[in-house]
Amino acid sequence: MNKVEMNKDMRLSPHFSLGELTKTSYHPLDGNIPSHVAIENLRRVCGWLEILRERYNRLYGDRSQESGDSRYDIPVIISSGYRSEEVNQKCGGAKGSNHLTGCAVDIKCLGPEQMIRYACLLLDTADENRWVFDELIQEKRGTTYWVHFAVRPKDL
């Protein structure tokens, strides 16, 4: 895999940066730097995330701010995106994980209601656009909730 010089500020979409989708609490020797192909996969995932963010805010956003000012939008927070082999091993990720190719993200949820709403909105997006995704899994560990979402690699 050809690794790229990483610019963490690079925008993958209007609301998501490369830094957000490659951050990790592990300190890998390889720097957790994605290939060009993985970055393109992350851009595709971000297309879904942008729709999720817009729809969630339209339906469930902060109603105390009726100005339409996007500063009051609830952000979609990614707890895990791209993972290098080293990061994936350190965090106990599955062998062959979609995170390794930049096709998967874990979306942090405030609780079970938000987790279910995120999953439903992603399913609605797939149905309305006739888009295909690879994984949509609702997960919980202790009091931590997240949605694991993955697209298929571009050529599949």
Side-chain angles (χ1 to χ4, degrees):
M1 252 194 247
N2 289 333
K3 300 288 184 177
V4 296
E5 186 69 29
M6 192 153 86
N7 174 359
K8 290 188 180 280
D9 295 328
M10 178 176 30
R11 303 308 301 172
L12 299 174
S13 69
H15 294 100
F16 298 94
S17 70
L18 183 59
E20 288 176 274
L21 276 87
T22 58
K23 74 178 180 211
T24 179
S25 58
Y26 301 95
H27 300 287
L29 297 174
D30 66 9
N32 203 43
I33 299 172
S35 67
H36 291 287
V37 172
I39 290 173
E40 287 310 308
N41 288 333
L42 289 169
R43 285 185 200 281
R44 290 183 46 250
V45 172
C46 286
W48 289 79
L49 296 175
E50 289 292 343
I51 293 169
L52 174 63
R53 186 179 194 276
E54 184 277 323
R55 289 182 175 186
Y56 186 85
N57 277 291
R58 182 170 25 92
L59 294 169
Y60 308 108
D62 185 355
R63 297 291 176 225
S64 67
Q65 303 295 332
E66 296 297 329
S67 67
D69 189 334
S70 65
R71 291 179 297 173
Y72 300 107
D73 284 354
I74 298 165
V76 170
I77 299 170
I78 304 305
S79 58
S80 182
Y82 170 79
R83 296 181 194 153
S84 66
E85 289 280 353
E86 183 181 0
V87 169
N88 198 54
Q89 285 179 341
K90 287 184 175 185
C91 75
K95 289 185 179 183
S97 169
N98 278 317
H99 287 280
L100 296 166
T101 59
C103 288
V105 292
D106 293 337
I107 307 166
K108 183 178 179 180
C109 301
L110 299 175
E113 296 86 1
Q114 188 178 54
M115 180 175 64
I116 292 166
R117 287 177 175 150
Y118 278 176
C120 289
L121 290 169
L122 289 165
L123 285 171
D124 289 345
T125 298
D127 290 345
E128 291 167 14
N129 295 292
R130 295 184 179 201
W131 291 349
V132 179
F133 60 90
D134 195 39
E135 298 170 322
L136 178 58
I137 306 168
Q138 297 175 25
E139 301 188 75
K140 176 186 183 239
R141 184 176 299 134
T143 58
T144 303
Y145 295 84
W146 70 96
V147 170
H148 171 86
F149 179 72
V151 298
R152 292 187 178 159
K154 186 176 182 180
D155 295 334
L156 295 181

